[in-house]
Amino acid sequence: MAVYTRINSEDMAALVAEFGVGELVSAKGIAEGVSNSNWLLETRGTPDAGRFILTVYEERTDTRDLPFFLDLLDHLAAAGCPVPRTIHDAGGSASRTIDTPQGEKMLALIEFLPGVSADDPTPAQAHAVGAALAQVHLAGQGFAGFRKDGMGPDAWRGFVRDCAGRWGEIDPALEGVPALVDDAIADWPDDLPVSTIHADLFPDNVLLVGDDVSGMIDFYFACTGPMAYDIAVTHAAWSFSPDGRRFNPAIGDALLGGYGSVRMPDARERAALPALAQAACLRFLLTRAYDWLNTPADAMVTRKDPLAFLRRHAFYRQQGAALFGALD
């Protein structure tokens, strides 16, 4: 989440009125994340008033995919998964356009769910997250939509080209990334069970009330892909300190145990997890490096360090084969 697009108060109030959720009381930009522009809105005056997230979709989100994303939320919510509902406007549409200085952009209004993200998750919370991820995977197998992973292996060499000659502007340690990407693409498995996957389930995309998952949010990288890859992404996102220097085995084991309590991966998936964990690290390293080099100076956004995932990658490369025993 971030804010790149600016919307003045009059235009924001008019937008809210189109969705029939009352009168706008406040709109606060959300700085975390890097992909789209987001605000926390509060409204009043009607039975449907409350708190919502308004998202304006930026260049990394192909708005042709919006029906997939928004229909997916409806599908998962109907299946009992802890995801926010979409808010439809008076015409029944879950998305609208807005004119901005950068041109016409798409937007959507999503239900705000209670809970907080865990900066320092407990094993009980990690167990709940693993179980909720497995629930999404099972429900996602019944979702009719299909979307290719726009941040998957087919995109990685493009990011390498975009960063060519500039790795040293971030850190010389990144100079070896292109070779690592080549290895990951060569090792990518193509015969694993698939579903609709989240593909970006970091702690800031999970809301918790106590030890329970109250919401899984930000499905804008969701796609059709290997469920084991989503496990690997989530393991890499939750099991390390933010800088990637410290691995927490209790969190990693609890996450895997929670997942396995709902859906047990098969032998092929379990065998692929070490390589998929390395691939997951490269996916986030590459997009972080690209954003580090290309984020506008005046954007209200927090840049994230690519080295945090280079460190995770090195850890998985050295010890990955021994890490996934909680699924045995």
Side-chain angles (χ1 to χ4, degrees):
M1 298 180 183
V3 175
Y4 298 97
T5 297
R6 309 293 177 178
I7 302 177
N8 64 41
S9 57
E10 293 81 5
D11 290 341
M12 186 73 78
L15 278 172
V16 169
E18 294 290 340
F19 284 96
V21 291
E23 174 189 0
L24 181 66
V25 175
S26 64
K28 179 182 179 182
I30 302 172
E32 291 84 1
V34 295
S35 299
N36 297 310
S37 295
N38 294 270
W39 295 260
L40 173 61
L41 307 184
E42 185 172 354
T43 68
R44 65 185 178 192
T46 71
D48 294 326
R51 305 178 82 187
F52 306 91
I53 300 295
L54 176 70
T55 299
V56 173
Y57 299 96
E58 306 293 351
E59 63 178 19
R60 186 169 288 170
T61 301
D62 187 339
T63 55
R64 293 173 296 182
D65 291 329
L66 277 185
F68 175 92
F69 298 140
L70 301 177
D71 289 350
L72 175 61
L73 291 181
D74 290 340
H75 175 86
L76 294 177
C81 298
V83 304
R85 63 188 177 97
T86 63
I87 308 301
H88 294 237
D89 66 15
S93 176
S95 61
R96 297 180 60 85
T97 60
I98 183 174
D99 290 324
T100 76
Q102 295 80 34
E104 188 176 77
K105 296 183 180 182
M106 299 292 295
L107 61 84
L109 193 66
I110 307 294
E111 177 187 24
F112 175 86
L113 294 177
V116 295
S117 297
D119 293 328
D120 187 16
T122 67
Q125 291 170 333
H127 188 279
V129 170
L133 180 64
Q135 184 184 5
V136 164
H137 287 172
L138 291 176
Q141 289 182 312
F143 181 55
F146 174 88
R147 179 177 180 267
K148 184 178 178 180
D149 185 0
M151 296 293 159
D154 289 346
W156 295 345
R157 287 199 175 103
F159 284 112
V160 169
R161 288 192 298 271
D162 290 339
C163 296
R166 302 188 65 190
W167 299 107
E169 295 179 31
I170 307 171
D171 192 286
L174 296 171
E175 297 286 355
V177 165
L180 298 178
V181 169
D182 287 340
D183 291 343
I185 292 173
D187 292 340
W188 183 264
D190 57 7
D191 60 347
L192 299 180
V194 302
S195 180
T196 308
I197 64 174
H198 187 284
D200 192 36
L201 197 62
F202 279 70
D204 59 356
N205 287 332
V206 176
L207 303 174
L208 296 152
V209 175
D211 291 335
D212 298 323
V213 175
S214 59
M216 303 169 73
I217 60 174
D218 202 359
F219 277 79
Y220 299 116
F221 291 111
C223 57
T224 306
M227 291 178 281
Y229 177 62
D230 214 13
I231 298 170
V233 166
T234 309
H235 191 272
W238 283 79
S239 304
F240 293 81
S241 60
D243 63 6
R245 295 181 186 276
R246 298 184 305 280
F247 174 70
N248 187 329
I251 297 298
D253 286 349
L255 182 77
L256 297 173
Y259 188 95
S261 71
V262 175
R263 174 190 174 266
M264 181 57 67
D266 68 24
R268 292 171 299 161
E269 292 176 288
R270 297 195 297 273
L273 280 169
L276 290 173
Q278 294 175 58
C281 293
L282 291 173
R283 174 262 185 266
F284 291 103
L285 184 160
L286 288 168
T287 51
R288 285 185 174 200
Y290 177 87
D291 291 332
W292 189 281
L293 296 170
N294 293 281
T295 296
D298 61 348
M300 195 178 94
V301 59
T302 303
R303 291 194 303 183
K304 297 184 177 181
D305 184 5
L307 290 171
F309 276 91
L310 185 64
R311 298 180 188 112
R312 287 170 168 87
H313 181 277
F315 183 87
Y316 283 125
R317 196 169 195 178
Q318 294 169 1
Q319 303 190 43
L323 290 181
F324 297 100
L327 287 171
D328 292 335

